[in-house]
Amino acid sequence: MSKPLKFKIEKKLNNSLGRAGVISTPHGDIETPAFVTVGTKGTVKALSPEQVKDLGAQVVLANTYHLYLQPHDYIIRDAGGIHKFMNWSGPTMTDSGGFQVFSLGAAYGKNISKVTSAESAPLLLPENSEDDVVKIATIDHDGVTFKSIIDGSLHYFTPERSIEIQHNIGADIIFAFDECTSPNEPLRYQQEALDRTHRWAKKSLEYHKNAKPIHLGTKFPSERQALFGIVQGGRFEELRKESATVLAGMDFDGYGIGGSFAKEDMGTAVKWVNEILPEEKPRHLLGIGEPEDLFMAVENGCDLFDCVAPTRIARNGQVYTRFGKENLLNNKFIEDYTQIDSECDCYTCKNYTRAYVAHLFRAKEMFAATLASIHNLYFIINLVKKMRESMLNDTFHEFKNSFLEGYRKNKDL
Ligand SMILES: [Zn+2]
């Protein structure tokens, strides 16, 4: 059987795990490291696929939990798969739904997020986490029962069901079903959850390898979709290492590294894992997207990252600049006729002033979200592209130091 994914390492960073490479999928190549744009419900909020492509996005990640509940995976399967359904011809990914099942369910009350930090936690919670929805999730040996965030109906996800849904959606890269725990859980619970995650990883892989083609005459899912296993283990070194070792022994096409981390020890936790995972397979750090975290992750050997933050904060009027984040609703921008970032080459910065975008936000015009999202995505995607170029030119550390020195200047937010 032919493999659905190839990964070629082009250059390695000296004295660290960082690398630049190319992932080849049935829908094109991804030059890594790369930021993965989040299109939760099969759309990057406020943007057309053409705009997403023009701002430099290489790959879009949709969400299994949300697409299963609405419109349902069979609708996407019968439409010809996610690429055709959403009119995106490039590489796509779906997550397993595990994070949403747990974060919109049992763990919600504990304020679970990918990173425990008062500043970043609210930004990283899943989309549409309306407070008036009753949130419950019950975990058993084989799967999770959870309530729909849309109508409160009960649903049951097993590893097999998660993979079946992801086969129907049809993304190029899919993920094994895992249990995402809060970093605040004690060691004993983390160990139990990790045992479940490993059992579910094995079941996800077996189901994927044995699944039949969805339509007559089409390829087997394991020939057209790559499956990544997800390393968990919270903030405990022995559990993270155990998880990386167990999953490295399974024949996955690549690996995801799941939350949850404490922000201050994320780099160490990623390093423990990447020292064990096979070098020749790609690694995706799930739910990470802040500039400082991206440098840490790239330096420690991660190839892909996704995060809703760039588009979510854009819709609230917050924009990245090379001097830190700014809030366009701040009074000082009302008469500011300069661009959001004077060195940014995005469509928004080339054509509009801060005063204009700030006016759109105050007037609650929809175009505000579009312009701010274009800028924020371009900024983060381009930042990771520059990290890649700096690795290829042997200037990664110089680039990192000069960027972070400027970025930490503005602590207004
Ligand atoms: Zn811009």
Side-chain angles (χ1 to χ4, degrees):
M1 272 196 186
S2 62
K3 287 268 180 191
L5 179 146
K6 288 194 184 73
F7 179 52
K8 185 170 159 264
I9 295 174
E10 295 180 312
K11 183 97 173 216
K12 290 183 206 168
L13 269 185
N14 286 335
N15 306 318
S16 82
L17 295 162
R19 68 266 186 95
V22 179
I23 297 171
S24 300
T25 79
H27 288 86
D29 290 350
I30 307 166
E31 294 185 332
T32 63
F35 182 79
V36 177
T37 303
V38 178
T40 304
K41 298 181 183 178
T43 172
V44 179
K45 288 189 196 304
L47 301 180
S48 71
E50 289 75 17
Q51 288 170 320
V52 174
K53 189 162 182 263
D54 288 349
L55 61 82
Q58 302 185 73
V59 45
V60 173
L61 178 143
N63 184 271
T64 295
Y65 170 91
H66 287 287
L67 291 178
Y68 158 76
L69 290 176
Q70 189 180 51
H72 206 282
D73 48 295
Y74 77 84
I75 298 280
I76 300 171
R77 177 197 66 199
D78 295 348
I82 188 74
H83 297 88
K84 218 171 154 188
F85 192 51
M86 69 179 283
N87 186 33
W88 172 260
S89 59
T92 54
M93 313 175 82
T94 43
D95 61 10
S96 68
F99 180 65
Q100 282 71 26
V101 165
F102 288 99
S103 56
L104 299 176
Y108 189 86
K110 296 173 189 165
N111 197 21
I112 190 177
S113 103
K114 303 280 183 180
V115 181
T116 47
S117 143
E119 187 194 8
S120 58
L123 302 177
L124 295 167
L125 282 170
E127 312 227 346
N128 281 348
S129 46
E130 289 93 350
D131 288 337
D132 57 346
V133 175
V134 180
K135 292 153 183 107
I136 62 151
T138 321
I139 305 160
D140 63 45
H141 185 268
D142 298 317
V144 189
T145 307
F146 59 95
K147 254 188 182 180
S148 161
I149 196 167
I150 295 172
D151 60 10
S153 55
L154 279 178
H155 300 263
Y156 186 53
F157 268 12
T158 59
E160 293 85 353
R161 186 73 186 105
S162 167
I163 300 299
E164 184 189 21
I165 294 167
Q166 293 186 78
H167 285 167
N168 286 339
I169 296 171
D172 299 298
I173 297 172
I174 65 176
F175 284 95
F177 191 61
D178 62 322
E179 176 171 347
C180 187
T181 55
S182 159
N184 304 321
E185 296 287 359
L187 178 63
R188 211 182 122 198
Y189 185 83
Q190 296 282 8
Q191 179 72 64
E192 283 173 27
L194 193 62
D195 292 344
R196 263 192 298 275
T197 286
H198 293 163
R199 193 165 64 240
W200 293 352
K202 192 162 173 275
K203 287 184 164 201
S204 297
L205 189 60
E206 280 168 8
Y207 184 87
H208 181 62
K209 296 272 179 207
N210 295 320
K212 299 273 182 294
I214 286 168
H215 297 292
L216 204 64
T218 58
K219 281 188 174 180
F220 284 84
S222 59
E223 283 185 305
R224 62 185 182 90
Q225 294 178 279
L227 177 62
F228 284 22
I230 301 184
V231 176
Q232 290 287 0
R235 57 192 306 183
F236 297 101
E237 181 173 359
E238 68 268 34
L239 296 189
R240 284 279 170 193
K241 288 183 170 174
E242 179 196 328
S243 189
T245 307
V246 168
L247 291 170
M250 299 185 197
D251 186 23
F252 285 108
D253 299 299
Y255 293 92
I257 303 169
S260 40
F261 303 103
K263 199 170 175 70
E264 60 278 10
D265 55 30
M266 196 195 306
T268 326
V270 168
K271 193 162 176 256
W272 294 331
V273 168
N274 284 345
E275 279 173 347
I276 294 170
L277 290 177
E279 190 186 66
E280 71 280 7
K281 293 185 179 181
R283 305 153 182 163
H284 181 123
L285 185 57
L286 289 146
I288 298 301
E290 289 297 311
E292 283 132 320
D293 300 337
L294 291 169
F295 276 104
M296 173 286 300
V298 166
E299 196 168 356
N300 287 298
C302 296
D303 309 298
L304 298 168
F305 327 88
D306 72 278
C307 190
V308 296
T311 44
R312 174 168 302 163
I313 68 169
R315 294 194 300 281
N316 295 325
Q318 289 180 33
V319 285
Y320 295 105
T321 80
R322 65 186 193 285
F323 303 118
K325 275 183 276 190
E326 298 265 23
N327 191 334
L328 291 172
L329 287 162
N330 192 311
N331 283 343
K332 69 182 177 182
F333 298 125
I334 291 176
E335 293 181 81
D336 185 336
Y337 304 106
T338 63
Q339 62 198 64
I340 293 170
D341 185 319
S342 61
E343 288 185 9
C344 180
D345 292 321
C346 82
Y347 168 79
T348 303
C349 290
K350 277 196 290 195
N351 296 290
Y352 302 95
T353 61
R354 288 174 169 177
Y356 180 68
V357 187
H359 152 65
L360 294 183
F361 271 109
R362 285 170 189 275
K364 303 202 183 330
E365 284 291 335
M366 288 191 285
F367 195 40
T370 300
L371 289 179
S373 296
I374 287 175
H375 168 79
N376 276 0
L377 277 176
Y378 181 93
F379 186 91
I380 294 294
I381 287 170
N382 206 42
L383 176 64
V384 180
K385 269 188 191 159
K386 285 183 193 159
M387 290 183 204
R388 172 184 158 81
E389 282 159 23
S390 73
M391 276 198 269
L392 296 173
N393 300 331
D394 296 314
T395 55
F396 178 81
H397 296 289
E398 292 87 329
F399 175 62
K400 175 184 158 185
N401 293 338
S402 71
F403 178 88
L404 290 179
E405 194 191 323
Y407 191 75
R408 287 171 180 153
K409 270 185 188 158
N410 187 348
K411 287 287 174 196
D412 281 359
L413 281 169

